[in-house]
Amino acid sequence: MKFVTEELWQALPNRREALIISSWPQTSLPRSTDLVKRFENLQVLTRAIRNAIAEYSVEPAKRITASIVGSEEVIQYISEEKEVLALLSKLDLDNIHFNDEVVLGFSSLLANINFNLLILAACYLIRLLVMLA
């Protein structure tokens, strides 16, 4: 009896050999390291928000307000994925704010700062908002 994956593989057009001995498919899609980095940054931001929510024991059903701090470039592409970020991080979609300046007593750090530090600043702001909510 064949496995389901083998059945599906054989149902595809132009498949002559078994899946288990086939070479890995080649793609002609372009690889953009910039897009991969953007996706990784979105993952890191989502994880940081989830960790802050868990750390402060926010009720699972509660949607929280978030202020995301970043450079103009980071804010631009993260804001394009605002709906995804809200869904994955349980944020209130109408109350996600993007800032290109660090607030609440921080000086302007964004000139030569890497994204991981921006995540820490964003996480700090989220923690403050969660504590004040």
Side-chain angles (χ1 to χ4, degrees):
M1 179 176 191
K2 292 183 180 179
F3 288 105
V4 172
T5 50
E6 184 65 41
E7 285 291 330
L8 293 171
W9 177 257
Q10 292 299 326
L12 293 172
N14 303 321
R15 303 293 175 209
R16 294 188 180 97
E17 56 190 9
L19 176 61
I20 197 165
I21 60 170
S22 295
S23 60
W24 192 258
Q26 298 296 317
T27 181
S28 60
L29 298 174
R31 292 189 180 155
S32 170
T33 55
D34 183 50
L35 292 177
V36 170
K37 187 64 178 168
R38 287 179 177 195
F39 178 76
E40 289 171 349
N41 287 341
L42 184 63
Q43 282 182 307
V44 169
L45 178 58
T46 301
R47 190 174 303 117
I49 294 169
R50 286 178 174 180
N51 288 345
I53 290 170
E55 185 177 334
Y56 287 95
S57 304
V58 176
E59 300 170 26
K62 185 174 182 179
R63 302 281 178 187
I64 67 165
T65 297
S67 290
I68 311 298
V69 178
S71 65
E72 284 184 37
E73 177 190 0
V74 170
I75 293 300
Q76 179 182 354
Y77 72 79
I78 294 293
S79 64
E80 290 171 3
E81 300 297 337
K82 181 179 177 178
E83 292 81 10
V84 173
L85 182 63
L87 178 68
L88 295 175
S89 303
K90 296 193 174 188
L91 299 177
D92 181 356
L93 182 59
D94 296 327
N95 287 304
I96 300 175
H97 308 286
F98 297 96
N99 300 305
D100 60 1
E101 296 244 351
V102 180
V103 294
L104 299 173
F106 285 101
S107 60
S108 211
L109 299 171
L110 299 174
N112 297 310
I113 198 166
N114 72 24
F115 191 79
N116 290 330
L117 293 177
L118 295 175
I119 295 297
L120 293 175
C123 196
Y124 174 77
L125 291 173
I126 289 166
R127 287 177 181 162
L128 286 176
L129 290 168
V130 168
M131 289 178 359
L132 296 173

